[in-house]
Amino acid sequence: IDVYHDTKHRDQSILAFTASLNRNFTKYFSVPCFQRSGQEIAESLHGCMRDALKFYLTQNKALPEKIIIYRDGVGDGQTPAVMKLEIPQIRKVFEGFEKYSPQLVVIVVKKRINARFFGFAGRPVNPTPGTVIDQGVVSRDGYDFYLISQEVNQGSASPTHYQVLVDETNLKPDHLQLLTFKLCHLYYNWSGTVRVPSPCQYAHKMAFLVGQSIHTTPHTRLAGNLYYL
């Protein structure tokens, strides 16, 4: 999930919602929704999640047992609003399906951070891709970690901060961190790793296309295609 602010129609923002449809993360359902200008917190998340689950059911003849959501575009001060407004919308969708109660994980993805990390091999060096920092500099009360997913040739590597707001699965932290890193490899437009998991990058690309160029909702037939790449 990501949000982009329309450059032409100043009174609206675009919420982009992408959802994987198979176990190989090669097929996606994608839908943008319009909301009030400057609104980072998703007001139309209920409809996006409902449509995604219906599309998944049509494709797979079953609903997912686990749902892992990466929520991009949220600042530090907006985390309580996500807990209060967005997560209840998601849970409300589950009630619309008979005897359906999946295990939910909600992770906030933060790229605009000042933290930098270095290794030492006679001199300071950038950590290798896949390096996770989950001790010392993380929250004492919450469940969060830093991940460096990219290798850089110049300057310092920029980590991404992941804050786990909800975790109803039995996944160990190492497994959730590994899944996050693996997803950084699966963006179609780049042969290496990207800074965020591929569903976040797809949501960003779709939100940018709609908010920067077309300024309207794409046809529903495009929902099963990565037309924005």
Side-chain angles (χ1 to χ4, degrees), residues 104-118:
L104 179 66
V105 180
V106 179
I107 304 173
V108 170
V109 181
K110 300 177 183 178
K111 303 185 295 292
R112 297 177 182 177
I113 56 176
N114 296 321
R116 295 294 183 270
F117 302 99
F118 299 93

Side-chain angles (χ1 to χ4, degrees), residues 6 12-15 32-36 44 210-211 215-218:
D6 198 315
Q12 65 184 17
S13 297
I14 295 90
L15 168 75
C33 295
F34 291 91
Q35 55 188 31
R36 289 177 298 165
S44 52
V210 175
H215 309 289
T216 188
T217 303

Side-chain angles (χ1 to χ4, degrees), residues 146-159:
Y146 294 88
L147 171 65
I148 297 172
S149 58
Q150 292 179 298
E151 184 174 1
V152 297
N153 296 321
Q154 292 182 340
S156 58
S158 298

